[in-house]
Amino acid sequence: MSLAPLRGRVAYVFEEADFDVDQIVGVENIRLTDPDALAAHAMRRFDPGFAEKVEPGDVVVGAENFGYGHPHFAPMIGLRRLGIRAVIADSFATGYWREEIAEGFPQIACPGITGLVARWDEIEIDWEAAEVRNLSRGGALPTAPYSTAERGMLQAGGLIPYLREKLAADGSG
Amino acid sequence: MGYTIAEKIMGRASRAGAPVPAGTEVEVKPDYVLGYDFPGYLDLIFKQMKEEFGIERVAEPERYALFIDHMVPANTPEEEELHIVTRTWCAENGVRLHEREGIGHQVAAEAGYAVPGGFVVHFDGHIAQLGAFGTLAIGIHTQLLEAFVRERIDFTVPETTRVNLTGRLAPGVMARDVFHHLVRVLGPRSCRFQVLELGGPALGDISLEGRQTITGLAMFTGALTAICNPDRLALDYAKAHVTQPFEPQASDADATYAALHEVDLTDLAPIVVVPPNPAATADLADHAGLEVQAGYLGSCASGRLEDLRAAAAVLKGRRVAPGFQLHVVPTSQAIMADAAREGLLTTLIEAGAFVTSSSCDYCYGRIATMTAGQRAVSTGTLNVTGRMGSPDSEIYLCNAAAVAASALEGRIADPRPYLAEATEAGA
């Protein structure tokens, strides 16, 4: 089983290092759980017209240590509802990374990505070659490798289906 | 080739049963699996166990311990119902439950789960503070579910950044300042996905309580956890609290580190962490005089005896500023009882502090909630927007003595003059 190919536009570039993702929906909304409500709040303070511009399959890009602070699930629930299929960043904060990989939401560590792409560039993620390509203006960069467990969670669609596979393997082993 | 303490502990807990180098993918069996109830945490794990995996009972209940330390006391029927779910699950599973004993990360040490050489998982990263005792304790977030449905969990053995502390802390400068200074020197991404290992001659001068404070906040350097090689102090504590035999581990002299730093504590002065960023470290002196309306002394990151002693030394014979709300919440009930025996609570109460039994609830604004425009000094874990109430309130993190000094003045204040006066009076 392999990961589904990803091809889409860079819907936004968060240029701030150590970016606190809760800002995406606003701290006042981080207790919300309804994807539609979160989608309605998402990105308003960064680009009020974001929801109209984004298309299913788009990705967002972050800088160093994306997800630092005390991240909640709400922002990415909102972004996924708007059609965002992956987050690519120069590097990720440890806790954020672990939680979103467990959600089965592709997080792609790609040192230098903020220098490779600009907003609305078309990009492609080649899982087999482990690289991100800029289809709009050329250039490519390697992505950091996943552990077997991380890749397993992304392929299975999250922690629970992944653990089902593991338990089946434990039982037959 | 030598190994780090993390490589040794994770190797010991893996199928290999022997040290494994960083980067190796292993299946590790935690010595203890810990967690607390909060909506969407344990209740979700119990539900997922049953509904997704058909598992009603954990296989080895003695490896689990759960805590009721949030929403204590309950203030809605729903909160109490959640606690009942946890109590019922523990009773059915034969799993130990620690309720109303204090903040779980502290109670874990008191109850003997901080085993030198042991491997512990929790969803909350502040469990890292068991590293003060030479325990590798990691917050693995939602992936804690794996530890409830499988005997072993997948882990990649982390690299380690080693920090040697040198020099001597000046009076009025506390372990809390040491941690925030490390973030200032190393940066908030210095230890991403790594273990932060603390050592050096100055670590021996820092109490176990201080080491709990430093290791418990490791996540703000990006680290998975932090750990100290256990010394006599740590081993004596473990012998008094851990009930089973244990085998302490320590890093080899020729262990391989991702980075090695030396941090001199000699000239360190009290620090504040400026909202809304846990990495925005500044000297307290640069923010002294800023008006504050509330103060919180407590949390898993401070609120232990040495913190209460420092605050009492500042407050003894004085009164907090009119209208100032000073909340003092000892980290555990055992600590509160010790503080009572020492007379610290009397001093704090007579100075005007509002002293309450141990609970996590002040740290995240569930109680003592701030409204727009209010500002607190706090020894809580975090200063992000809205953490203690309104998104338009602010939190300046600092040490316990600085919270006390600021309470006296109603402004961010340096505790050192008060402490110097207290020392003179005592001499």
Side-chain angles (χ1 to χ4, degrees):
Chain A
M1 199 166 119
S2 62
L3 288 161
L6 268 173
R7 192 175 166 152
R9 304 171 309 160
V10 175
Y12 202 79
V13 180
F14 298 97
E15 288 171 1
E16 187 186 332
D18 310 315
F19 181 71
D20 169 9
V21 295
D22 287 354
Q23 293 179 57
I24 289 172
V25 290
V27 171
E28 61 281 10
N29 298 311
I30 54 174
R31 303 266 170 233
L32 298 178
T33 53
D34 175 44
D36 290 325
L38 286 165
H41 291 290
M43 296 300 291
R44 270 210 196 141
R45 73 187 57 191
F46 297 94
D47 175 1
F50 186 82
E52 288 73 50
K53 296 173 197 163
V54 70
E55 291 170 6
D58 286 353
V59 304
V60 295
V61 165
E64 294 284 356
N65 207 22
F66 184 83
Y68 184 70
H70 188 67
H72 295 78
F73 288 112
M76 295 302 149
I77 293 173
L79 285 189
R80 286 197 293 270
R81 186 56 148 206
L82 289 173
I84 298 296
R85 287 291 171 265
V87 181
I88 313 172
D90 289 326
S91 66
F92 288 92
T94 312
Y96 166 84
W97 168 272
R98 187 172 279 277
E99 294 207 324
E100 293 301 331
I101 294 282
E103 290 295 295
F105 186 30
Q107 307 290 309
I108 298 147
C110 179
I113 186 68
T114 44
L116 180 75
V117 299
R119 195 175 185 199
W120 303 124
D121 281 355
E122 177 101 7
I123 59 125
E124 178 180 57
I125 293 148
D126 182 333
W127 299 104
E128 292 316 308
E131 67 176 23
V132 178
R133 296 187 195 112
N134 188 332
L135 303 177
S136 298
R137 52 183 96 202
L141 280 172
T143 61
Y146 292 109
S147 70
T148 308
E150 288 165 347
R151 199 173 176 92
M153 279 185 267
L154 292 182
Q155 285 178 347
L159 177 66
I160 288 175
Y162 169 72
L163 286 179
R164 273 204 210 98
E165 292 172 9
K166 291 291 285 192
L167 284 174
D170 287 348
S172 64
Chain B
M1 190 189 82
Y3 291 99
T4 64
I5 182 172
E7 291 169 326
K8 288 183 178 184
I9 293 174
M10 214 163 251
R12 197 267 306 149
S14 76
R15 291 185 196 278
V20 281
T24 312
E25 293 181 12
V26 288
E27 288 194 311
V28 273
K29 179 174 178 174
D31 297 297
Y32 285 111
V33 178
L34 309 178
Y36 50 72
D37 82 359
F38 196 75
Y41 286 55
L42 285 180
D43 58 321
L44 184 61
I45 286 179
F46 300 156
K47 187 168 180 275
Q48 289 169 332
M49 271 179 73
K50 196 170 168 177
E51 292 178 7
E52 304 284 350
F53 300 96
I55 299 173
E56 298 267 358
R57 302 271 185 278
V58 288
E60 298 171 282
E62 65 281 4
R63 287 198 298 121
Y64 298 78
L66 304 181
F67 303 88
I68 293 182
D69 55 8
H70 289 68
M71 306 181 297
V72 174
N75 79 355
T76 65
E78 290 74 22
E79 289 179 351
E80 184 58 15
E81 280 156 23
L82 193 86
H83 293 329
I84 290 172
V85 167
T86 304
R87 289 178 201 131
T88 306
W89 188 91
C90 285
E92 288 173 356
N93 274 267
V95 163
R96 274 162 295 186
L97 174 66
H98 298 274
E99 176 168 4
R100 295 182 167 226
E101 292 176 33
I103 298 176
H105 306 313
Q106 167 65 28
V107 175
E110 295 170 1
Y113 309 134
V115 181
F119 176 56
V120 173
V121 292
H122 194 300
F123 35 70
D124 187 322
H126 296 302
I127 198 61
Q129 64 192 260
L130 302 191
F133 307 93
T135 311
L136 189 70
I138 304 182
I140 58 173
H141 303 267
T142 47
Q143 292 178 36
L144 190 70
L145 174 64
E146 184 169 11
F148 278 79
V149 299
R150 293 183 73 215
E151 180 186 38
R152 293 173 179 276
I153 61 170
D154 293 318
F155 225 96
T156 301
V157 179
E159 293 189 296
T160 296
T161 284
R162 163 96 182 194
V163 173
N164 287 323
L165 302 173
T166 65
R168 217 177 164 79
L169 278 183
V173 188
M174 304 182 70
R176 192 64 201 239
D177 301 299
V178 173
F179 176 75
H180 296 302
H181 183 59
L182 289 180
V183 177
R184 175 162 61 184
V185 172
L186 305 179
R189 352 178 172 133
S190 50
C191 305
R192 285 187 322 107
F193 297 89
Q194 296 178 357
V195 172
L196 168 62
E197 181 182 316
L198 298 155
L203 186 69
D205 297 335
I206 296 174
S207 67
L208 286 175
E209 294 186 334
R211 295 178 209 174
Q212 286 170 277
T213 291
I214 298 170
T215 50
L217 292 166
M219 64 173 72
F220 301 115
T221 65
L224 278 170
T225 187
I227 196 164
C228 310
N229 292 295
D231 60 3
R232 172 58 65 82
L233 201 60
L235 293 176
D236 284 349
Y237 184 96
K239 280 177 200 149
H241 293 84
V242 175
T243 50
Q244 76 265 38
F246 59 89
E247 200 180 326
Q249 304 287 339
S251 291
D252 294 322
D254 59 344
T256 305
Y257 292 105
L260 193 59
H261 302 275
E262 188 169 303
V263 176
D264 185 359
L265 305 179
T266 306
D267 296 324
L268 190 59
I271 278 171
V272 291
V273 187
V274 180
N277 182 345
T281 314
D283 280 337
L284 182 146
D286 295 339
H287 295 268
L290 188 69
E291 206 176 307
V292 282
Q293 295 81 30
Y296 167 46
L297 197 178
S299 88
C300 60
S302 297
R304 299 186 177 87
L305 271 178
E306 70 178 18
D307 302 305
L308 300 171
R309 285 181 191 135
V314 169
L315 293 171
K316 192 168 179 66
R318 299 188 170 91
R319 286 289 301 179
V320 304
F324 189 93
Q325 301 179 13
L326 175 60
H327 296 107
V328 176
V329 190
T331 307
S332 73
Q333 295 296 83
I335 289 170
M336 190 172 194
D338 284 342
R341 274 187 285 273
E342 272 191 48
L344 301 174
L345 300 187
T346 308
T347 302
L348 296 167
I349 291 163
E350 287 179 350
F354 190 84
V355 183
T356 71
S357 280
S358 193
S359 169
C360 299
D361 296 340
Y362 289 81
C363 194
Y364 63 99
R366 179 177 164 277
I367 42 181
T369 315
M370 288 196 289
T371 189
Q374 290 187 316
R375 187 181 292 132
V377 280
S378 167
T379 65
T381 55
L382 260 178
N383 64 348
V384 295
T385 305
R387 174 73 176 175
M388 286 170 63
S390 163
D392 297 312
S393 61
E394 286 186 327
I395 305 163
Y396 282 71
L397 301 175
C398 58
N399 76 36
V403 168
S406 304
L408 290 173
E409 299 188 13
R411 296 172 185 280
I412 291 180
D414 192 329
R416 290 174 296 181
Y418 295 102
L419 289 168
E421 215 175 291
T423 309
E424 256 171 51

